Amino acid sequence: FGGSSYEQLIMSDVEVEEPVIASEEEEEFVAVGGATEVKLFGKWAFDDIEIRDISLVDYIACKGDHATYLPHTAGRYQKKRFRKASCPIVERLACTLMRKGRNSGKKLMAVRIVQHTLEIIHLLTDQNPVQVVVDAIINSGPREDSTRVGGAGVVRRQAVDMSPFRRVNYALYLLATGAREASFRNLKTMAECLAEELVNAARGSSNSYAIKKKDEIERVSKSNR
């Protein structure tokens, strides 16, 4: 009789323990499931990013498949025309920083600069820094440019519309150039200068090199219509 009651006690223990273990496993599974959201540098979410210019939606890659943990995908984006449009926009920014000979190929350095830049932007604006980068690119791309038309020595300028893709490319070039010139022979780091440039450009402030250049390009092309 004593033995059977002991067995019953053990059985009751087992019955009590089983659901507890199952609930722990479920909790662990939920925790892991919540971590599947892709965040840049494990911090900045892509879900709430808004591209406010409808014409640039296809050329600023920051949602869905283009959301990455690091701006370093090692993709072959130069193999075909327009393929770089599918390159994550923050990675394109990192690539534009690798300019002027001594910096070419140093992508890990560029990625580190971008990481620090995003941290500084968050401190300055208290916004998602990826959104600030997207806004800066939208504001910095010239919408109109002028080209040289004519031959046999008679050359005049003709205003032309700029394609959305070229607007994005030009904006990235201007932002990186402005940051590079600001940090050259200066105590400020590249990350600080780039953060300042991006924040000013996102606000549309004329303190930004990119915004100044964009306005100048549009002004010249307006006079050449």
Side-chain angles (χ1 to χ4, degrees), residues 114-125:
V114 168
Q115 185 177 2
H116 292 172
T117 299
L118 298 181
E119 295 283 359
I120 294 167
I121 289 172
H122 180 63
L123 291 174
L124 288 174
T125 61

Side-chain angles (χ1 to χ4, degrees), residues 8 13 65 93 103 157 218:
Q8 284 171 352
D13 281 355
D65 296 340
L93 179 65
N103 296 323
R157 311 280 302 226
E218 287 184 350

Side-chain angles (χ1 to χ4, degrees), residues 5 10 25 34 39 45-46 59 62 93 96 99 109 111 125 128 132-133 148 151 158 161 199-201:
S5 65
I10 288 172
E25 281 175 5
K39 291 185 175 181
F46 289 97
Y59 298 104
C62 61
L93 179 65
T96 53
R99 287 284 309 278
M109 182 173 82
V111 168
T125 61
N128 184 342
V132 174
V133 170
R148 291 159 64 89
Q158 172 64 41
D161 292 338
V199 169
N200 284 334

Side-chain angles (χ1 to χ4, degrees), residues 58-119:
D58 294 337
Y59 298 104
I60 296 180
C62 61
K63 288 201 170 185
D65 296 340
H66 306 301
T68 53
Y69 291 104
L70 277 178
H72 196 315
T73 57
R76 304 195 303 177
Y77 298 110
Q78 300 297 333
K79 282 286 176 192
K80 217 169 191 181
R81 194 180 178 198
F82 295 118
R83 188 170 289 173
K84 63 182 179 184
S86 63
C87 179
I89 197 67
V90 183
E91 180 170 0
R92 292 200 64 195
L93 179 65
C95 291
T96 53
L97 297 177
M98 299 192 293
R99 287 284 309 278
K100 294 287 191 209
R102 60 180 184 169
N103 296 323
S104 57
K106 299 184 183 178
K107 190 159 183 178
L108 293 182
M109 182 173 82
V111 168
R112 197 190 69 239
I113 288 169
V114 168
Q115 185 177 2
H116 292 172
T117 299
L118 298 181
E119 295 283 359

